[in-house]
Amino acid sequence: MAYSVRITDIKQLTHDVRQLRFEKPDGYVFEPGQATEVAIDRDGWREKKRPFTFTSLNDDSYLEFTIKIYPDHHGVTEQIGELEEGDSFLIDDPWGTIQYKGPGVFLAGGAGVTPFIAILRSLREKGDLEGNRLIFSNKTEKDIILRGEFHEMLGDDFVNVITHEETQRYHHGLIDKDFLSGQIDDVEQPFYVCGPKPFNEAMMGYLKELGADPDALVFEE
């Protein structure tokens, strides 16, 4: 079923990431980590659907998406970067493959962090954040989404890795097997992986090499 939802608030989180809040349809229910197919409710764009993850919680009175804008792609996200309050999305019913299976390590590459936002916010609300760690890879410091909120939630268990610039504060380089071995003290805990396909494949490979149980690996397909 398709729903038309109107934008009520827009916030610029980073130079290329926008947080958009929408009216929530009556009876619309979803779980942390789930997504939906989204289209812009505008002539010429209603059939161009893209999947986006909810970053609000089901109990919130609004729907929220946190979306990276790609102006050079000349597509849906470029158009989303130009939307204003009062414009609308068309959304379908929720779906998703990432489900929380207990305390573990979240591995995110860039905008792949979005499924983890609602999961971690839900855990914070329940007082269940202990034992979880987020390892977040970005090209530069300015690309880190919700840096303040993640630090407030996780403290030293919020680990940033920067790939494209030298930094005093964070690890510089790629997340590789050696880096992960220094961050992980229990390969039997759940691991949650989301990012671009090469990132996902690399992380899953490293984790298996380190002895992680394949059944404990949760990733966005």
Side-chain angles (χ1 to χ4, degrees):
M1 179 175 178
Y3 306 82
S4 180
V5 292
R6 186 174 60 87
I7 299 173
T8 59
D9 182 72
I10 298 174
K11 182 183 293 184
Q12 198 73 28
L13 297 184
T14 73
H15 65 104
D16 63 356
V17 174
R18 300 184 106 194
Q19 174 188 280
L20 298 94
R21 289 185 176 178
F22 296 80
E23 297 170 331
K24 185 178 182 181
D26 290 341
Y28 195 89
V29 177
F30 61 94
E31 296 180 5
Q34 286 194 308
T36 187
E37 293 290 328
V38 168
I40 298 169
D41 193 2
R42 183 180 288 176
D43 289 347
W45 293 96
R46 294 186 181 94
E47 302 305 315
K48 301 181 188 296
K49 296 183 177 182
R50 299 292 185 273
F52 292 116
T53 307
F54 300 104
T55 53
S56 52
L57 300 181
N58 188 59
D59 290 342
D60 291 332
S61 60
Y62 52 84
L63 297 178
E64 180 187 281
F65 298 95
T66 301
I67 298 174
K68 186 169 183 176
I69 307 303
Y70 296 91
D72 56 333
H73 287 191
H74 307 299
V76 172
T77 63
E78 179 189 35
Q79 293 295 312
I80 291 173
E82 298 176 2
L83 296 179
E84 300 176 350
E85 292 180 22
D87 290 330
S88 297
F89 270 2
L90 293 172
I91 66 170
D92 291 337
D93 291 324
W95 54 268
T97 59
I98 289 188
Q99 294 182 332
Y100 185 67
K101 294 187 175 182
V105 176
F106 293 80
L107 288 158
V113 78
T114 52
F116 304 153
I117 294 173
I119 291 172
L120 292 170
R121 285 175 171 173
S122 176
L123 293 173
R124 174 179 59 188
E125 208 172 68
K126 297 173 184 175
D128 289 337
L129 277 171
E130 186 174 351
N132 288 289
R133 168 170 285 206
L134 171 60
I135 301 175
F136 193 9
S137 176
N138 285 283
K139 291 180 180 178
T140 70
E141 283 196 52
K142 70 178 183 178
D143 294 316
I144 301 173
I145 301 169
L146 297 175
R147 172 164 39 180
E149 183 175 354
F150 285 137
H151 182 72
E152 180 185 350
M153 285 196 286
L154 297 167
D156 291 341
D157 286 317
F158 176 38
V159 179
N160 284 284
V161 179
I162 304 299
T163 60
H164 283 47
E165 69 179 11
E166 295 283 353
T167 172
Q168 294 279 330
R169 288 193 285 182
Y170 303 128
H171 176 80
H172 170 64
L174 297 173
I175 299 177
D176 57 17
K177 181 180 174 182
D178 287 341
F179 178 82
L180 287 175
S181 68
Q183 295 289 325
I184 296 168
D185 55 13
D186 177 12
V187 294
E188 296 184 1
Q189 65 189 315
F191 294 93
Y192 307 89
V193 180
C194 191
K197 186 176 180 180
F199 175 88
N200 291 350
E201 290 175 348
M203 295 306 105
M204 302 294 276
Y206 296 144
L207 290 169
K208 288 176 183 177
E209 288 176 22
L210 290 168
D213 181 352
D215 291 337
L217 304 178
V218 182
F219 64 101
E220 187 67 73
E221 295 177 331

